[in-house]
Amino acid sequence: MIGSDFNYGRGEFEICQYVLLERPFTLGLRSDVQYASENTPFFDLAAVNLRGIPAGRYVDDVALTLESELRWDVTERWTLVGFGGAGWSADNLSDIDTGEGHWAGGSGFRYLLAREYDMRVGCDLAYGPDGVVFYVTIGTGWLRD
C-alpha cells in the first residue's frame, strides 16, 4: 500500500444482481471474493461478509461469500425481505472448498422512503453462528466499502 509501513496487496471482486420475478417478488444474488497477499496486516485480511456474522470474525488470505435475498413488495411502499448465505475463508484458493463454511440468514422489512431514488429504510433480524443480530438498514442490506 502506498504511504504504509506494510508492503502487501489486496483485491476484491463483488457482483450483485437483482432479478425481477413474477410481481411482486424480486430476487437478489451477491457473490464476493477477496484476496490478501502474504504480508497483509490483520486489519485488512480477506473476510466473510454476511449479515448475521460480525465484521472481521472469519478472516484469512482468501474469502468467498455467497448470499441471496428474496424481496416481497406487500404494498407499494412496504416490503418484506428474507435472506441467507454462506461464506468460506482459507489460506489459499485451492483450500477454500475444504475450509469450514459459515452460514447466516434472517428476515426484515423495508419502507420506500423516496420513490424517485428507490430509497428504502428498514430493519433486519439475522441469525448466524454467534446468535441473533439486529440491523437498521438504509438502502440495501449489502455492504459497500
mmCIF file with all atom_site columns, all heavy atoms in Angstrom, residues 42-57:
data_model
loop_
_atom_site.group_PDB
_atom_site.id
_atom_site.type_symbol
_atom_site.label_atom_id
_atom_site.label_alt_id
_atom_site.label_comp_id
_atom_site.label_asym_id
_atom_site.label_entity_id
_atom_site.label_seq_id
_atom_site.pdbx_PDB_ins_code
_atom_site.Cartn_x
_atom_site.Cartn_y
_atom_site.Cartn_z
_atom_site.occupancy
_atom_site.B_iso_or_equiv
_atom_site.pdbx_formal_charge
_atom_site.auth_seq_id
_atom_site.auth_comp_id
_atom_site.auth_asym_id
_atom_site.auth_atom_id
_atom_site.pdbx_PDB_model_num
ATOM 1   N N   . PHE A 1 42 ? -3.412  -7.820  9.941  1.00 0.00 ? 42 PHE A N   1
ATOM 2   C CA  . PHE A 1 42 ? -4.650  -8.473  10.376 1.00 0.00 ? 42 PHE A CA  1
ATOM 3   C C   . PHE A 1 42 ? -5.895  -7.646  10.071 1.00 0.00 ? 42 PHE A C   1
ATOM 4   O O   . PHE A 1 42 ? -6.958  -8.190  9.813  1.00 0.00 ? 42 PHE A O   1
ATOM 5   C CB  . PHE A 1 42 ? -4.589  -8.799  11.870 1.00 0.00 ? 42 PHE A CB  1
ATOM 6   C CG  . PHE A 1 42 ? -4.682  -7.582  12.752 1.00 0.00 ? 42 PHE A CG  1
ATOM 7   C CD1 . PHE A 1 42 ? -5.908  -7.142  13.226 1.00 0.00 ? 42 PHE A CD1 1
ATOM 8   C CD2 . PHE A 1 42 ? -3.551  -6.862  13.092 1.00 0.00 ? 42 PHE A CD2 1
ATOM 9   C CE1 . PHE A 1 42 ? -6.000  -6.019  14.025 1.00 0.00 ? 42 PHE A CE1 1
ATOM 10  C CE2 . PHE A 1 42 ? -3.634  -5.730  13.887 1.00 0.00 ? 42 PHE A CE2 1
ATOM 11  C CZ  . PHE A 1 42 ? -4.853  -5.313  14.360 1.00 0.00 ? 42 PHE A CZ  1
ATOM 12  N N   . PHE A 1 43 ? -5.793  -6.330  10.102 1.00 0.00 ? 43 PHE A N   1
ATOM 13  C CA  . PHE A 1 43 ? -6.974  -5.487  9.928  1.00 0.00 ? 43 PHE A CA  1
ATOM 14  C C   . PHE A 1 43 ? -7.410  -5.348  8.473  1.00 0.00 ? 43 PHE A C   1
ATOM 15  O O   . PHE A 1 43 ? -8.448  -4.760  8.204  1.00 0.00 ? 43 PHE A O   1
ATOM 16  C CB  . PHE A 1 43 ? -6.744  -4.094  10.530 1.00 0.00 ? 43 PHE A CB  1
ATOM 17  C CG  . PHE A 1 43 ? -5.536  -3.377  9.999  1.00 0.00 ? 43 PHE A CG  1
ATOM 18  C CD1 . PHE A 1 43 ? -5.581  -2.679  8.810  1.00 0.00 ? 43 PHE A CD1 1
ATOM 19  C CD2 . PHE A 1 43 ? -4.341  -3.412  10.717 1.00 0.00 ? 43 PHE A CD2 1
ATOM 20  C CE1 . PHE A 1 43 ? -4.467  -2.024  8.326  1.00 0.00 ? 43 PHE A CE1 1
ATOM 21  C CE2 . PHE A 1 43 ? -3.215  -2.744  10.238 1.00 0.00 ? 43 PHE A CE2 1
ATOM 22  C CZ  . PHE A 1 43 ? -3.277  -2.059  9.034  1.00 0.00 ? 43 PHE A CZ  1
ATOM 23  N N   . ASP A 1 44 ? -6.644  -5.898  7.525  1.00 0.00 ? 44 ASP A N   1
ATOM 24  C CA  . ASP A 1 44 ? -7.009  -5.792  6.106  1.00 0.00 ? 44 ASP A CA  1
ATOM 25  C C   . ASP A 1 44 ? -7.077  -7.155  5.423  1.00 0.00 ? 44 ASP A C   1
ATOM 26  O O   . ASP A 1 44 ? -7.062  -7.236  4.203  1.00 0.00 ? 44 ASP A O   1
ATOM 27  C CB  . ASP A 1 44 ? -6.019  -4.871  5.383  1.00 0.00 ? 44 ASP A CB  1
ATOM 28  C CG  . ASP A 1 44 ? -6.650  -4.144  4.214  1.00 0.00 ? 44 ASP A CG  1
ATOM 29  O OD1 . ASP A 1 44 ? -7.897  -4.166  4.092  1.00 0.00 ? 44 ASP A OD1 1
ATOM 30  O OD2 . ASP A 1 44 ? -5.914  -3.557  3.402  1.00 0.00 ? 44 ASP A OD2 1
ATOM 31  N N   . LEU A 1 45 ? -7.152  -8.231  6.189  1.00 0.00 ? 45 LEU A N   1
ATOM 32  C CA  . LEU A 1 45 ? -7.258  -9.568  5.618  1.00 0.00 ? 45 LEU A CA  1
ATOM 33  C C   . LEU A 1 45 ? -8.608  -9.758  4.919  1.00 0.00 ? 45 LEU A C   1
ATOM 34  O O   . LEU A 1 45 ? -9.564  -9.025  5.182  1.00 0.00 ? 45 LEU A O   1
ATOM 35  C CB  . LEU A 1 45 ? -7.107  -10.621 6.713  1.00 0.00 ? 45 LEU A CB  1
ATOM 36  C CG  . LEU A 1 45 ? -5.701  -10.816 7.269  1.00 0.00 ? 45 LEU A CG  1
ATOM 37  C CD1 . LEU A 1 45 ? -5.740  -11.702 8.508  1.00 0.00 ? 45 LEU A CD1 1
ATOM 38  C CD2 . LEU A 1 45 ? -4.774  -11.401 6.214  1.00 0.00 ? 45 LEU A CD2 1
ATOM 39  N N   . ALA A 1 46 ? -8.679  -10.741 4.047  1.00 0.00 ? 46 ALA A N   1
ATOM 40  C CA  . ALA A 1 46 ? -9.934  -11.094 3.385  1.00 0.00 ? 46 ALA A CA  1
ATOM 41  C C   . ALA A 1 46 ? -10.894 -11.653 4.427  1.00 0.00 ? 46 ALA A C   1
ATOM 42  O O   . ALA A 1 46 ? -10.486 -12.400 5.319  1.00 0.00 ? 46 ALA A O   1
ATOM 43  C CB  . ALA A 1 46 ? -9.667  -12.129 2.295  1.00 0.00 ? 46 ALA A CB  1
ATOM 44  N N   . ALA A 1 47 ? -12.178 -11.280 4.349  1.00 0.00 ? 47 ALA A N   1
ATOM 45  C CA  . ALA A 1 47 ? -13.137 -11.665 5.378  1.00 0.00 ? 47 ALA A CA  1
ATOM 46  C C   . ALA A 1 47 ? -14.464 -12.104 4.775  1.00 0.00 ? 47 ALA A C   1
ATOM 47  O O   . ALA A 1 47 ? -14.877 -11.618 3.731  1.00 0.00 ? 47 ALA A O   1
ATOM 48  C CB  . ALA A 1 47 ? -13.386 -10.490 6.325  1.00 0.00 ? 47 ALA A CB  1
ATOM 49  N N   . VAL A 1 48 ? -15.136 -13.016 5.468  1.00 0.00 ? 48 VAL A N   1
ATOM 50  C CA  . VAL A 1 48 ? -16.506 -13.404 5.134  1.00 0.00 ? 48 VAL A CA  1
ATOM 51  C C   . VAL A 1 48 ? -17.410 -12.231 5.507  1.00 0.00 ? 48 VAL A C   1
ATOM 52  O O   . VAL A 1 48 ? -17.342 -11.717 6.613  1.00 0.00 ? 48 VAL A O   1
ATOM 53  C CB  . VAL A 1 48 ? -16.914 -14.675 5.905  1.00 0.00 ? 48 VAL A CB  1
ATOM 54  C CG1 . VAL A 1 48 ? -18.391 -14.973 5.715  1.00 0.00 ? 48 VAL A CG1 1
ATOM 55  C CG2 . VAL A 1 48 ? -16.063 -15.857 5.468  1.00 0.00 ? 48 VAL A CG2 1
ATOM 56  N N   . ASN A 1 49 ? -18.242 -11.793 4.561  1.00 0.00 ? 49 ASN A N   1
ATOM 57  C CA  . ASN A 1 49 ? -19.054 -10.591 4.735  1.00 0.00 ? 49 ASN A CA  1
ATOM 58  C C   . ASN A 1 49 ? -20.536 -10.934 4.555  1.00 0.00 ? 49 ASN A C   1
ATOM 59  O O   . ASN A 1 49 ? -21.050 -10.918 3.444  1.00 0.00 ? 49 ASN A O   1
ATOM 60  C CB  . ASN A 1 49 ? -18.590 -9.547  3.714  1.00 0.00 ? 49 ASN A CB  1
ATOM 61  C CG  . ASN A 1 49 ? -19.318 -8.253  3.831  1.00 0.00 ? 49 ASN A CG  1
ATOM 62  O OD1 . ASN A 1 49 ? -20.131 -8.053  4.727  1.00 0.00 ? 49 ASN A OD1 1
ATOM 63  N ND2 . ASN A 1 49 ? -19.059 -7.357  2.908  1.00 0.00 ? 49 ASN A ND2 1
ATOM 64  N N   . LEU A 1 50 ? -21.210 -11.288 5.658  1.00 0.00 ? 50 LEU A N   1
ATOM 65  C CA  . LEU A 1 50 ? -22.620 -11.671 5.635  1.00 0.00 ? 50 LEU A CA  1
ATOM 66  C C   . LEU A 1 50 ? -23.383 -10.991 6.760  1.00 0.00 ? 50 LEU A C   1
ATOM 67  O O   . LEU A 1 50 ? -22.841 -10.824 7.854  1.00 0.00 ? 50 LEU A O   1
ATOM 68  C CB  . LEU A 1 50 ? -22.770 -13.181 5.873  1.00 0.00 ? 50 LEU A CB  1
ATOM 69  C CG  . LEU A 1 50 ? -22.575 -14.144 4.734  1.00 0.00 ? 50 LEU A CG  1
ATOM 70  C CD1 . LEU A 1 50 ? -22.630 -15.568 5.251  1.00 0.00 ? 50 LEU A CD1 1
ATOM 71  C CD2 . LEU A 1 50 ? -23.615 -13.949 3.665  1.00 0.00 ? 50 LEU A CD2 1
ATOM 72  N N   . ARG A 1 51 ? -24.636 -10.627 6.499  1.00 0.00 ? 51 ARG A N   1
ATOM 73  C CA  . ARG A 1 51 ? -25.500 -10.174 7.593  1.00 0.00 ? 51 ARG A CA  1
ATOM 74  C C   . ARG A 1 51 ? -25.678 -11.343 8.557  1.00 0.00 ? 51 ARG A C   1
ATOM 75  O O   . ARG A 1 51 ? -26.010 -12.442 8.148  1.00 0.00 ? 51 ARG A O   1
ATOM 76  C CB  . ARG A 1 51 ? -26.868 -9.741  7.057  1.00 0.00 ? 51 ARG A CB  1
ATOM 77  C CG  . ARG A 1 51 ? -26.851 -8.381  6.407  1.00 0.00 ? 51 ARG A CG  1
ATOM 78  C CD  . ARG A 1 51 ? -28.192 -8.057  5.811  1.00 0.00 ? 51 ARG A CD  1
ATOM 79  N NE  . ARG A 1 51 ? -28.341 -8.767  4.533  1.00 0.00 ? 51 ARG A NE  1
ATOM 80  C CZ  . ARG A 1 51 ? -29.386 -8.647  3.731  1.00 0.00 ? 51 ARG A CZ  1
ATOM 81  N NH1 . ARG A 1 51 ? -30.394 -7.880  4.078  1.00 0.00 ? 51 ARG A NH1 1
ATOM 82  N NH2 . ARG A 1 51 ? -29.443 -9.290  2.597  1.00 0.00 ? 51 ARG A NH2 1
ATOM 83  N N   . GLY A 1 52 ? -25.444 -11.097 9.839  1.00 0.00 ? 52 GLY A N   1
ATOM 84  C CA  . GLY A 1 52 ? -25.534 -12.149 10.844 1.00 0.00 ? 52 GLY A CA  1
ATOM 85  C C   . GLY A 1 52 ? -24.183 -12.632 11.333 1.00 0.00 ? 52 GLY A C   1
ATOM 86  O O   . GLY A 1 52 ? -24.095 -13.352 12.312 1.00 0.00 ? 52 GLY A O   1
ATOM 87  N N   . ILE A 1 53 ? -23.108 -12.239 10.640 1.00 0.00 ? 53 ILE A N   1
ATOM 88  C CA  . ILE A 1 53 ? -21.748 -12.581 11.054 1.00 0.00 ? 53 ILE A CA  1
ATOM 89  C C   . ILE A 1 53 ? -21.005 -11.282 11.324 1.00 0.00 ? 53 ILE A C   1
ATOM 90  O O   . ILE A 1 53 ? -20.951 -10.405 10.456 1.00 0.00 ? 53 ILE A O   1
ATOM 91  C CB  . ILE A 1 53 ? -21.019 -13.411 9.980  1.00 0.00 ? 53 ILE A CB  1
ATOM 92  C CG1 . ILE A 1 53 ? -21.708 -14.776 9.829  1.00 0.00 ? 53 ILE A CG1 1
ATOM 93  C CG2 . ILE A 1 53 ? -19.555 -13.572 10.330 1.00 0.00 ? 53 ILE A CG2 1
ATOM 94  C CD1 . ILE A 1 53 ? -21.072 -15.696 8.809  1.00 0.00 ? 53 ILE A CD1 1
ATOM 95  N N   . PRO A 1 54 ? -20.436 -11.123 12.517 1.00 0.00 ? 54 PRO A N   1
ATOM 96  C CA  . PRO A 1 54 ? -19.713 -9.879  12.830 1.00 0.00 ? 54 PRO A CA  1
ATOM 97  C C   . PRO A 1 54 ? -18.569 -9.624  11.840 1.00 0.00 ? 54 PRO A C   1
ATOM 98  O O   . PRO A 1 54 ? -17.889 -10.561 11.414 1.00 0.00 ? 54 PRO A O   1
ATOM 99  C CB  . PRO A 1 54 ? -19.155 -10.132 14.236 1.00 0.00 ? 54 PRO A CB  1
ATOM 100 C CG  . PRO A 1 54 ? -20.009 -11.211 14.801 1.00 0.00 ? 54 PRO A CG  1
ATOM 101 C CD  . PRO A 1 54 ? -20.447 -12.053 13.647 1.00 0.00 ? 54 PRO A CD  1
ATOM 102 N N   . ALA A 1 55 ? -18.364 -8.363  11.488 1.00 0.00 ? 55 ALA A N   1
ATOM 103 C CA  . ALA A 1 55 ? -17.291 -7.984  10.563 1.00 0.00 ? 55 ALA A CA  1
ATOM 104 C C   . ALA A 1 55 ? -15.947 -8.420  11.135 1.00 0.00 ? 55 ALA A C   1
ATOM 105 O O   . ALA A 1 55 ? -15.658 -8.203  12.309 1.00 0.00 ? 55 ALA A O   1
ATOM 106 C CB  . ALA A 1 55 ? -17.306 -6.480  10.324 1.00 0.00 ? 55 ALA A CB  1
ATOM 107 N N   . GLY A 1 56 ? -15.129 -9.051  10.306 1.00 0.00 ? 56 GLY A N   1
ATOM 108 C CA  . GLY A 1 56 ? -13.811 -9.474  10.727 1.00 0.00 ? 56 GLY A CA  1
ATOM 109 C C   . GLY A 1 56 ? -13.781 -10.741 11.571 1.00 0.00 ? 56 GLY A C   1
ATOM 110 O O   . GLY A 1 56 ? -12.754 -11.108 12.112 1.00 0.00 ? 56 GLY A O   1
ATOM 111 N N   . ARG A 1 57 ? -14.909 -11.442 11.681 1.00 0.00 ? 57 ARG A N   1
ATOM 112 C CA  . ARG A 1 57 ? -14.969 -12.657 12.509 1.00 0.00 ? 57 ARG A CA  1
ATOM 113 C C   . ARG A 1 57 ? -14.218 -13.815 11.870 1.00 0.00 ? 57 ARG A C   1
ATOM 114 O O   . ARG A 1 57 ? -13.508 -14.550 12.537 1.00 0.00 ? 57 ARG A O   1
ATOM 115 C CB  . ARG A 1 57 ? -16.436 -13.032 12.740 1.00 0.00 ? 57 ARG A CB  1
ATOM 116 C CG  . ARG A 1 57 ? -16.654 -14.329 13.460 1.00 0.00 ? 57 ARG A CG  1
ATOM 117 C CD  . ARG A 1 57 ? -16.482 -14.121 14.957 1.00 0.00 ? 57 ARG A CD  1
ATOM 118 N NE  . ARG A 1 57 ? -17.074 -15.179 15.706 1.00 0.00 ? 57 ARG A NE  1
ATOM 119 C CZ  . ARG A 1 57 ? -16.382 -16.206 16.216 1.00 0.00 ? 57 ARG A CZ  1
ATOM 120 N NH1 . ARG A 1 57 ? -15.092 -16.273 16.056 1.00 0.00 ? 57 ARG A NH1 1
ATOM 121 N NH2 . ARG A 1 57 ? -17.001 -17.142 16.887 1.00 0.00 ? 57 ARG A NH2 1
#
